[in-house]
Amino acid sequence: MGIASTCRTKAVRGALGTALVLAAAQGCSGDGGSPDREAGGGGRLPAVETTGSTYRIPQPLAPAPGGTPIAASDRGTDAAFGPARRWTVLYHSADAHGADIAVSATLLVPDGPPPDGGRPVVAWAHGTTGVADACAPSRAADLGDAVYVQEIRAFLRAGYAVAATDYPGLGTPGMHTYLVGADEGNAVVDSVLAARRILPGTSATWFAAGHSQGGQAALFAARAAQRAPGLRFGGAVAVAPASHLDTMLPGVIAAHQPGQLAFALYSLAGLATTDPSVSLPRLLGPAAARTADQVFGECLKDRHPALSGVTTEQALPLDAARLAVLGRTMAAYGNPDRAAVPSPVLIVQGGDDQDVPAQWTAQVARNLRALGSPAVVERTYPGGGHDDVLGRSVCDVLAFFGEHGGRPAVPCAPFG
């Protein structure tokens, strides 16, 4: 099966102006691809190819079960991770409406022979990087953040393989469905199935773990674990999980902090992509749409120069009634505490987190318990921030894995 070029503009459902065209986000330039080496564990799979910043997907994409690999490339030994062998993979998943889609991911496995029984898999779900294809963690040496390298190194050193999804539309054609929980959760589960097809020496046990946006994704993955019926799901770790999406838009407007606008605009783009009742052109109007167009073409670390000098009211020209409707819709698609999680859950939170308030995460834990979740454990780290809590909690996370069918304890020290 060959890989055909799928270089096309990213368009949010509806259009901004005539269309919200994000050629910059798609990174399309020229007609050529950049073929990579085929994965050593991928057998007859074709190599992953790109056009600009976008992975190329077969057209048409023949339907296949979630987790079925489409293409894989062996990147060789990556010393930054410990050392470990690194792959890039494209695989089948499903969106919130059950449609078959292609998703990209990074796979990592420690060098050396696997232990008796094989290596459990940690499905790592990343925090917000942006919605442009260039922002896909699989395209970055550090998977989007240096702290993620340290976290994943700890998992690899403890004897786990790692599958790190990019989520739908981030690296692959189409808009990233940011904070749409079912899309993210399915992609997390299916990354494990893909890893089992490609990585040598993996076991049937797996865990979901994620940070911020990824914390939300890990909780949705725990509810979607039945997508992998032949595997044993040990539990989920949600670090500062995104929540309270019903309050996001009014909160960003009231805060008058332009730096927070990117999250709100990403959320609206993700919502408009998955829900046909939401039209960004009608919501934002021409001026705000031009700002959004620029923001969607940049990564979060770019600090979004397009937002300098823009007030929150200008970027989100929405009245109270519209904000209330959007908030309810966003919450329905993305709040992670609206259904019980049947498996063990560890919720990690920094006490001084300025991005995801500790009281929000505590409420998530209470709601999950009230809904009948049988095993929700919280760990709050006084003074911990949004990112440094990853290093402070890593030994507790590994202990949680070990208690629920993972690898035996190894010497561990917090980092950061």
Side-chain angles (χ1 to χ4, degrees):
M1 179 177 63
I3 300 293
S5 174
T6 56
C7 185
R8 65 175 187 261
T9 55
K10 279 184 182 282
V12 176
R13 191 185 301 275
L16 294 185
T18 302
L20 179 69
V21 178
L22 299 171
Q26 189 74 340
C28 295
S29 59
D31 297 321
S34 55
D36 299 298
R37 291 176 293 154
E38 289 191 27
R44 289 181 292 275
L45 288 173
V48 173
E49 299 179 8
T50 58
T51 301
S53 297
T54 305
Y55 295 116
R56 296 167 68 181
I57 307 300
Q59 291 296 314
L61 179 64
T68 302
I70 298 166
S73 288
D74 181 354
R75 307 298 186 186
T77 298
D78 190 330
F81 286 93
R85 196 73 171 270
R86 179 169 176 166
W87 280 263
T88 303
V89 62
L90 305 177
Y91 62 97
H92 286 263
S93 190
D95 67 14
H97 307 291
D100 186 46
I101 57 174
V103 181
S104 52
T106 297
L107 308 180
L108 291 153
V109 65
D111 276 352
D116 291 342
R119 297 182 179 94
V121 180
V122 175
W124 170 251
H126 66 84
T128 304
T129 59
V131 296
D133 286 341
C135 312
S138 65
R139 302 198 59 80
D142 63 0
L143 297 186
D145 200 301
V147 73
Y148 293 165
V149 175
Q150 294 177 281
E151 183 86 351
I152 291 171
R153 278 177 65 106
F155 298 157
L156 295 166
R157 192 163 49 243
Y160 295 87
V162 173
T165 184
D166 289 331
Y167 309 132
L170 190 54
T172 49
M175 173 56 71
H176 171 36
T177 47
Y178 181 70
L179 295 183
V180 176
D183 282 36
E184 296 171 350
N186 290 348
V188 170
V189 178
D190 294 337
S191 73
V192 177
L193 292 168
R196 293 263 297 164
R197 297 278 293 271
I198 293 170
L199 296 183
T202 55
S203 77
T205 297
W206 71 281
F207 299 87
H211 173 235
S212 196
Q213 177 189 6
Q216 175 221 26
L219 292 173
F220 274 91
R223 292 201 290 270
Q226 71 276 5
R227 292 179 64 81
L231 304 185
R232 179 190 177 278
F233 181 56
V237 176
V239 182
S243 67
H244 289 68
L245 300 190
D246 43 321
T247 69
M248 174 186 284
L249 298 178
V252 166
I253 293 172
H256 295 288
Q257 295 180 7
Q260 297 296 312
L261 279 168
F263 298 102
L265 292 172
Y266 294 163
S267 299
L268 286 174
L271 184 64
T273 302
T274 201
D275 191 321
S277 72
V278 178
S279 168
L280 278 185
R282 292 198 296 270
L283 285 174
L284 298 183
R290 286 192 293 271
T291 298
D293 187 5
Q294 295 177 55
V295 169
F296 296 154
E298 302 161 347
C299 298
L300 188 65
K301 288 186 176 180
D302 295 333
R303 302 301 181 192
H304 296 301
L307 294 176
S308 61
V310 176
T311 68
T312 53
E313 289 85 358
Q314 289 169 332
L316 298 171
L318 305 168
D319 60 29
R322 174 59 67 182
L323 287 171
V325 171
L326 286 170
R328 288 193 294 270
T329 306
M330 289 170 65
Y333 280 106
N335 275 6
D337 54 354
R338 292 200 159 194
V341 176
S343 53
V345 174
L346 172 63
I347 295 179
V348 170
Q349 178 67 38
D352 198 29
D353 191 327
Q354 300 301 304
D355 295 314
V356 176
Q359 61 267 31
W360 284 10
T361 301
Q363 184 64 57
V364 168
R366 288 195 295 271
N367 289 348
L368 290 175
R369 292 191 187 102
L371 289 164
S373 304
V376 178
V377 175
E378 296 174 80
R379 294 282 186 271
T380 300
Y381 298 82
H386 189 62
D387 294 327
D388 65 9
V389 73
L390 284 165
R392 294 181 63 177
S393 66
V394 67
C395 297
D396 289 335
V397 171
L398 287 171
F400 173 83
F401 292 163
E403 291 164 4
H404 296 286
R407 296 285 299 147
V410 298
C412 180
F415 61 83

